[in-house]
Every structure is written in C-alpha cells, then in structure tokens.
Amino acid sequence: MKKLFTLSSLILLCASCAVIRPGEVGIKQTLGKFSSDVKTQGTVFYNPITSKVVKESTQTKNIRLVLSLPSKEGLSVNSEISILHRLDGSKIASVLQNLGPNYENVITSVFRSAASDVCAQFFAKDMHSGMRAKIESEILDKMKINLEKQAEGIELIAVLMKRIQLPRGLASSVERKLQAEQDAMRMEFVLKQEKLEAQRKIINAKGERDAQIIISEGLTDGIIRIKAIEAFKSLSNSPNAKIIITDGKTPLMVNEDTKTSSKKETKKEKTKNK
C-alpha cells in the first residue's frame, strides 16, 4: 500500500511539472487566462486539473514560401522566399492572446499582402538585379507595420528572396541585353588598348628620331676618324686572320663622297698636265 501511494505521488508530481529548456519560454495558463510571469529555464509546477504550461521557442525560425509575385508591368515572377523571425519571450502572452499558437500563418498572410504591394511598384527585371535588396527591405518594413497593429512580440529579422525566376521571354531579353553590354564593354577596352599602343609607337618613333638627330649632329669628321682608328685597333688585336681594305687615307671607314671628289680632282690634274 505504501509503495502504491509513493508511485501515485510520483506520477502526480511528474504530471504537475514542466521543464523549460534553453531557447524556450513557458507561460502558465490557468482556466484560460495567461499568467504575467514568463518562465525561461528550469522546472515549472502547476495544477494539471486547472492549469497548463504553454511552451514556445525563442530561437530564430525560418518560414519558406514559394509563390508568384506581381510586377509593375503586370508579369508574374516566381520566387522562393525565406522569412526569418523569432519571438520576444517577455511578450509571449500578447502573441498567444492575439494571434494564437499558429501565429506563423498570420506572418505568412501579412507577407503576401506586403510583398504584393511592394513588388507591384518595381519592374520584373529589378527583382533579378541590384534592386532586390531594396525590395526586401521595403517588404520587411511594411510587414512590421502591419504586425504591430495586431500584436507585439514578433521580431521580424529579414525577408530573403533567394530564387527569382523571370518569365521566359523576359529572361531571354535580359540575357541579350547583358550580353550586348558585355560586348560593348569589351570593345571599349579593345579600343582603349589600341589607342595606348598607338601612343606608345608614336612616342617610341619620336624618341628614335630625336636620338638620330642628336647622333648626326654630334658626328664631325674628327670624331669619325677617331672612331675609325679605334675600330682599326680593335681589329688588329683580334687573333683571327683578316684583310682590311682602305683608300690609303682613312684606316677603316671610307666616305664615299670624299672618294668621289678626290677622284674628280685627280682627273682634273691629269687633264691639266696633258
């Protein structure tokens, strides 16, 4: 009898307590009325006949939706959406009283309304471009306003448009436009490269011309004879056999104009002698 009483007491004790784990909050509901005391972690004792403990997670949750969104030009854009949200543990009573335990259905309905209003102000191509972040931000702001009118305690973290599927014809047009823009950018790069190469050649040609002018201005007859003597000495030091032909006046380099003029003078002298 004593063992039976002990067993009954243990069963009654287990039935009259609830364990609140990390990431959860619990609130006691007695005869349909929620208590103002919110429990975070640990064990909560209650009367199982008149009361119960409602537990809700305060961790971040993800609502995934796949739906069709309207665009400004009247097209339908298929999109995969993620709505990140979590509960404020201190205001769980407001959420349960006003929205009930299935509050995520309310979040989904609010999102559908806000997304339709916001996306109808943008073109379909904007949802597939850098405007996506702006669209997400405006949907989130509109959702917060609508939810605050109904209950407090739901914290909306982000609205993410993870996959956008444009209508087939529009997708092809966008791809052709992007391809044309890439071709134009590539052609512009090629033209700039060609202009730079042309400028390089012009600068190089001017440098060679200026160098030739400086060299020609500095080459006097005396310098030419000195260079010729130096070249002759270098050749004479070489161990290889060699034959050097000169006109008898210059050791190595012969000026054709000088040879021609000297030949003419020799002919004139011969004519005079005759």
Side-chain angles (χ1 to χ4, degrees), residues 50 65 180 195:
T50 59
L65 299 173
K195 287 181 180 179

Side-chain angles (χ1 to χ4, degrees), residues 163-207:
R163 183 176 60 85
I164 301 296
Q165 184 178 358
L166 298 176
R168 183 175 300 177
L170 181 60
S172 300
S173 300
V174 172
E175 289 178 359
R176 288 195 297 269
K177 180 182 177 181
L178 293 176
Q179 185 63 42
E181 290 177 353
Q182 290 179 358
D183 293 340
M185 292 175 64
R186 183 165 52 251
M187 183 58 65
E188 184 179 355
F189 173 77
V190 172
L191 291 175
K192 287 183 178 179
Q193 193 174 22
E194 293 294 334
K195 287 181 180 179
L196 291 175
E197 181 65 17
Q199 292 177 1
R200 186 192 68 79
K201 291 181 178 179
I202 292 172
I203 294 172
N204 189 22
K206 287 182 178 179

Side-chain angles (χ1 to χ4, degrees), residues 26-251:
I27 185 170
K28 188 184 295 185
Q29 185 179 13
T30 304
L31 298 176
K33 184 179 179 180
F34 289 104
S35 171
S36 59
D37 186 17
V38 178
K39 304 296 183 179
T40 54
Q41 296 183 26
T43 303
V44 180
F45 294 96
Y46 63 96
N47 186 353
I49 298 175
T50 59
S51 304
K52 67 177 181 179
V53 175
V54 180
K55 295 186 291 185
E56 291 291 341
S57 174
T58 56
Q59 296 177 344
T60 301
K61 293 183 179 180
N62 179 22
I63 300 176
R64 297 183 59 185
L65 299 173
V66 178
L67 68 161
S68 179
L69 300 174
S71 65
K72 190 174 183 178
E73 62 266 54
L75 299 176
S76 295
V77 180
N78 295 325
S79 177
E80 181 180 346
I81 309 295
S82 286
I83 306 172
L84 303 180
H85 69 284
R86 62 170 169 256
L87 289 179
D88 184 353
S90 62
K91 299 178 181 179
I92 185 174
S94 174
V95 176
L96 294 175
Q97 288 175 358
N98 293 283
L99 304 181
N102 297 323
Y103 60 88
E104 288 189 348
N105 294 334
V106 179
I107 296 176
T108 301
S109 299
V110 170
F111 168 78
R112 290 179 183 272
S113 176
S116 298
D117 293 343
V118 173
C119 292
Q121 303 174 12
F122 293 87
F123 292 103
K125 62 181 180 64
D126 295 335
M127 303 180 193
H128 205 273
S129 63
M131 297 291 289
R132 182 187 301 185
K134 183 178 180 181
I135 297 173
E136 294 172 346
S137 177
E138 292 190 10
I139 293 175
L140 184 65
D141 293 339
K142 197 172 186 65
M143 287 181 66
K144 288 180 179 179
I145 295 173
N146 293 335
L147 276 177
E148 287 176 356
K149 295 178 181 178
Q150 302 180 48
E152 295 180 353
I154 298 178
E155 182 181 355
L156 297 176
I157 300 173
V159 172
L160 305 176
M161 303 174 69
K162 298 190 295 183
R163 183 176 60 85
I164 301 296
Q165 184 178 358
L166 298 176
R168 183 175 300 177
L170 181 60
S172 300
S173 300
V174 172
E175 289 178 359
R176 288 195 297 269
K177 180 182 177 181
L178 293 176
Q179 185 63 42
E181 290 177 353
Q182 290 179 358
D183 293 340
M185 292 175 64
R186 183 165 52 251
M187 183 58 65
E188 184 179 355
F189 173 77
V190 172
L191 291 175
K192 287 183 178 179
Q193 193 174 22
E194 293 294 334
K195 287 181 180 179
L196 291 175
E197 181 65 17
Q199 292 177 1
R200 186 192 68 79
K201 291 181 178 179
I202 292 172
I203 294 172
N204 189 22
K206 287 182 178 179
E208 292 181 356
R209 182 196 62 187
D210 294 342
Q212 293 295 331
I213 292 173
I214 293 171
I215 292 173
S216 61
E217 289 177 352
L219 285 177
T220 61
D221 291 340
I223 292 176
I224 292 174
R225 289 181 178 274
I226 292 172
K227 294 294 183 182
I229 293 170
E230 291 177 353
F232 182 77
K233 288 182 178 179
S234 298
L235 287 173
S236 63
N237 294 328
S238 175
N240 300 326
K242 59 189 75 65
I243 298 175
I244 300 174
I245 301 175
T246 67
D247 60 350
K249 296 180 180 180
T250 57

